[in-house]
């Protein structure tokens, strides 16, 4: 039974293509694991939607992943991690991991001045998930939050380091810059694409925390603890599912994943698994 | 039978809140009509989604509206008009009206130089719907198309006339400015909010065509022709339905509609009416 579980894939999902940055890190440190990825491209973005909606969308995706016998579910979307991780973990009998805690842990280790900036989508910032998790570890840490709703469309437009992105970044990062924070959590999987312009605005000394590599380590630890590491010596298989526009996902996804994507399968999960 | 039909509401839908600009014009010239509006706020935006997805979403909404016995369906979303109007009109036995043709008609009447610029979402521009419709009337008209994917998030962020929106508008409108077009179709219901910055970039002499008032006139004509005008002397009732976040819709909606919105009802239509 355990043996069979070990061969099962890890399920990863995101509202779109951004979670592939997490898959990339996962494949680096767990190269023999099979991965099933779901990108909800028909309903992207999640960051402007309500908690109810994000929970409903997440439950449908989790239903789809559980049907494919995943041994662990990694929520690679900050908004879904902030809003739906609790609900999901109550519903399934496999381990569930989100990106929030890993980012928080890395930021707390990195911050000398105990001042941490958090940027994310409107929904993630409104949820207060990062701030609550930071304060749980150390309530003396000062947290400066700022929603950056234009960063995702800027990144998807490929305008990652031009005059417009600079002006927008200056405006969004003003309060964090003025606060003297030495560490900033990039609380959205798209934001690492804007690192260059964020460094320009906040200075090279700022520590930017991108939870992708942290959460990959956490997944490895859990699989080891639970004796669920795939014993195979072969490179793991990656399968990609989307709710809309496989070709667009493939093209954009190869940029995020930094490797060739062979097939992307479109599936309709709306109103199912409920 | 006809009498009963006359009292029935007009169904209007959009991917979100933008279509309310059309409702506003409709209420101006048809004040006694009842209106049912559906905003698909759980899946907004449509402009980055595939044709398949937009047709599927539109069919679900039309199913919902038909259940409420609408006497005409007005597609107040440019993307859905471009991609799904044909499909919808085949499925229902009431008249269906989109925003494309009305915008085209107004632009052709306005353009002296026979050079028309068209701006819209990625999906609307890719569909070529405006260009095809313009060329159908007069194939000698030169059409200059440009997708402006950042305009919707800019408008929703309320950044309608600042330095960032100016730089973005200069970049997007470059080819239209250089072409010498004298008329530009605002092919997305959000774009009228950015009129000021568009005038700044293209000059005060440019004619900006916003299809909302044109399409309202067309609806009035159809109702008259079909003997479907509501004979009531009372102000019509407006009902608003959304797929997510009624409070947010109410707040933003009052800005677009320029009047108080009393109730907004959330309904789940995903995977239904198919």
């Amino acid at each position: 039974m355990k043996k069979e579980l070990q061969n099962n894939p890890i399920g990863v999902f995101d509202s779109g293509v951004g979670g592939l940055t997490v898959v990339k890190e996962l494949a680096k440190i767990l190269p023999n694991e099979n991965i099933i990825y779901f990108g909800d491209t028909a309903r992207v973005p999640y960051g402007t939607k309500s908690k109810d909606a994000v929970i409903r969308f997440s439950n449908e995706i989790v239903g789809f992943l559980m049907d494919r016998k995943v041994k662990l579910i990694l929520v690679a979307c900050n908004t879904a991690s902030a809003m739906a991780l609790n609900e999901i973990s109550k519903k399934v009998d496999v381990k569930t991991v989100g990106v929030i805690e890993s980012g928080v842990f890395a930021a707390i280790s990195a911050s000398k001045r105990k001042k941490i900036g958090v940027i994310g989508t409107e929904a993630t910032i409104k949820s207060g998930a990062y701030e609550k998790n930071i304060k749980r570890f150390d309530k003396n840490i000062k947290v400066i939050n700022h929603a950056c709703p234009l960063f995702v469309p800027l990144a998807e437009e490929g305008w990652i380091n031009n005059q417009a992105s600079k002006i927008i970044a200056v405006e969004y990062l003003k309060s964090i810059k003025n606060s003297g924070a030495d560490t900033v959590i990039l609380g959205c999987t798209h934001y690492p694409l804007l690192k260059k312009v964020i460094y320009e605005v906040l200075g090279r000394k700022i520590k930017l925390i991108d939870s992708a590599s942290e959460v990959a380590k956490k997944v490895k630890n859990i699989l080891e603890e639970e004796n669920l590491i795939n014993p195979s010596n072969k490179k793991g298989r990656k399968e990609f599912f989307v709710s809309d526009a496989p070709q667009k996902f493939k093209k954009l996804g190869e940029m995020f994943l930094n490797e060739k994507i062979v097939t992307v399968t479109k599936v309709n999960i709306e109103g199912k698994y409920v």
Side-chain angles (χ1 to χ4, degrees), chain A:
Chain A
M1 180 58 189
K2 203 73 180 181
K3 184 88 187 183
E4 189 196 308
L5 277 176
Q6 288 172 340
N7 292 321
N8 286 351
I10 297 169
V12 183
F13 78 88
D14 179 42
S15 58
V17 78
L20 291 176
T21 52
V22 178
V23 171
K24 189 177 149 192
E25 295 300 324
L26 214 51
K28 246 188 233 168
I29 66 166
L30 291 165
N32 307 321
E33 296 296 336
N34 301 314
I35 296 172
I36 291 187
Y37 183 90
F38 189 94
D40 196 6
T41 48
R43 298 185 286 201
V44 71
Y46 283 5
T48 53
K49 312 286 158 76
S50 74
K51 186 170 181 173
D52 274 6
V54 175
I55 290 175
R56 181 157 54 87
F57 300 167
S58 300
N59 278 335
E60 288 173 4
I61 297 169
V62 164
F64 172 83
L65 293 173
M66 290 304 290
D67 267 7
R68 266 141 207 89
K69 302 200 186 311
V70 295
K71 61 183 174 186
L72 179 147
I73 289 173
L74 169 51
V75 186
C77 169
N78 283 266
T79 303
S81 296
M83 294 182 142
L85 186 62
N86 275 342
E87 303 288 327
I88 294 169
S89 60
K90 277 181 225 151
K91 287 211 168 174
V92 295
D93 56 2
V94 300
K95 289 270 178 183
T96 53
V97 184
V99 286
I100 309 277
E101 265 192 47
S102 301
V104 164
F105 187 72
I108 290 175
S109 318
S111 178
K112 298 271 178 288
R113 288 192 213 147
K114 294 200 166 196
K115 278 184 190 168
I116 298 175
V118 180
I119 55 177
T121 63
E122 201 190 319
T124 299
I125 295 302
K126 221 167 156 184
S127 77
Y130 274 105
E131 179 151 10
K132 272 178 236 160
N133 271 284
I134 293 171
K135 299 276 192 193
R136 225 176 44 187
F137 280 97
D138 184 344
K139 59 182 189 325
N140 296 317
I141 293 179
K142 192 171 179 213
V143 182
I144 308 96
N145 296 289
H146 209 287
C148 306
L150 285 166
F151 276 2
V152 169
L154 275 175
E156 298 221 324
E157 177 75 330
W159 286 21
I160 53 179
N161 192 27
N162 65 4
Q163 207 190 345
S165 59
K166 180 80 185 282
I167 290 169
I168 291 169
V170 167
E171 177 65 29
Y172 281 154
L173 301 172
K174 210 184 281 174
S175 58
I176 291 176
K177 193 177 166 81
N178 292 340
S179 73
D182 60 351
T183 304
V184 172
I185 298 176
L186 304 176
C188 171
T189 48
H190 277 74
Y191 295 3
L193 292 178
L194 291 152
K195 264 185 181 173
K196 209 169 159 190
V197 73
I198 297 172
Y199 274 126
E200 259 183 61
V201 174
L202 296 177
R204 275 274 146 199
K205 281 191 189 151
I206 198 84
K207 284 164 219 144
L208 298 185
I209 306 295
D210 156 10
S211 16
S213 58
E214 296 302 321
V215 80
K217 282 182 228 158
K218 187 168 174 186
V219 168
K220 192 180 177 197
N221 289 342
I222 293 175
L223 294 183
E224 281 168 352
E225 275 167 25
E226 306 270 320
N227 192 23
L228 281 174
I229 294 276
N230 194 324
S232 160
N233 297 318
K234 284 193 302 187
K235 195 185 165 201
R237 196 176 59 247
K238 296 190 193 89
E239 291 181 274
F240 302 95
F241 296 90
V242 290
S243 47
D244 190 30
Q247 274 311 310
K248 192 176 166 186
F249 178 90
K250 194 173 171 297
K251 213 173 120 189
L252 212 57
E254 290 176 347
M255 201 173 89
F256 277 82
L257 199 59
N258 207 13
E259 72 173 49
K260 198 99 193 134
I261 292 178
V262 183
T263 46
V264 181
T265 309
K266 183 175 146 185
V267 285
N268 185 2
I269 59 161
E270 286 173 34
K272 297 187 178 116
Y273 306 100
V274 281

